[in-house]
Amino acid sequence: MKTRRTAKVAEAIRQVVSSAIVIELRDPRVKNVTVLHVEVPSDLRTAKIYVSILGDEKAERLSLQGLNAARGWLQSKIADQLQLRLTPILSFISDQGIKKSIEVSKKLREIYDEDLDADNEDLVPKEDDEESSQNELEQESTD
């Protein structure tokens, strides 16, 4: 059960970690990282930090290694800025939700473009269709 206190602590940890990653962290491996949300249990001993990393799998792996290497430094930042009895042990988890939504969006765009092209082909008469329609009109006028 998530209490109000754990929700506030999770949000505070998210703010501290995200600002530290963007502004102060100088590890060249950590690039294009966004802290999405933080899960903290009621005892506040651990914190799961869900991050989104843009790039290919190699860049994602390198960024996670950089974040895990900087875990102690980030924990000290949390201890400095938040007044907690215990500083939570951080673990970083890559969240694939944004990448999957981008892929789905691209596929939907492709399907939409294909349908749009197919509809446009149906609206534009072909040369054979023009000749046959003119022949039909001529036959109707002679009848």
Side-chain angles (χ1 to χ4, degrees):
M1 181 171 118
K2 196 167 192 171
T3 63
R4 185 174 170 197
R5 181 171 188 261
T6 57
K8 288 175 89 173
V9 168
E11 181 61 26
I13 290 172
R14 188 191 69 77
Q15 288 177 350
V16 170
V17 170
S18 64
S19 67
I21 288 172
V22 170
I23 297 170
E24 300 174 43
L25 189 62
R26 298 199 191 313
D27 192 335
R29 296 176 289 184
V30 181
K31 295 179 182 175
N32 299 325
V33 175
T34 304
V35 178
L36 298 176
H37 67 279
V38 177
E39 286 183 1
V40 180
S42 59
D43 64 357
L44 302 178
R45 291 183 184 262
T46 60
K48 292 180 183 177
I49 300 175
Y50 292 88
V51 294
S52 172
I53 303 167
L54 295 178
D56 59 353
E57 291 181 22
K58 183 180 178 184
E60 182 177 336
R61 227 178 320 110
L62 285 174
S63 292
L64 282 175
Q65 287 175 352
L67 288 172
N68 284 322
R71 181 172 59 190
W73 179 77
L74 289 168
Q75 286 176 199
S76 69
K77 285 290 183 187
I78 291 171
D80 290 344
Q81 294 187 18
L82 304 180
Q83 303 196 344
L84 301 172
R85 187 181 313 162
L86 297 172
T87 303
I89 298 171
L90 305 178
S91 61
F92 294 94
I93 300 169
S94 178
D95 191 357
Q96 300 296 323
I98 293 178
K99 284 186 178 182
K100 288 182 181 178
S101 67
I102 290 172
E103 289 175 16
V104 168
S105 177
K106 286 180 181 178
K107 287 181 181 179
L108 287 174
R109 174 58 69 183
E110 289 173 5
I111 291 171
Y112 176 75
D113 289 342
E114 288 173 4
D115 286 346
L116 191 63
D117 290 343
D119 289 344
N120 286 340
E121 288 177 3
D122 291 342
L123 294 176
V124 176
K126 297 177 185 174
E127 291 180 18
D128 295 335
D129 290 341
E130 288 180 10
E131 291 176 10
S132 63
S133 62
Q134 286 178 355
N135 290 340
E136 288 175 7
L137 287 175
E138 290 175 2
Q139 288 178 356
E140 287 178 6
S141 63
T142 56
D143 291 340

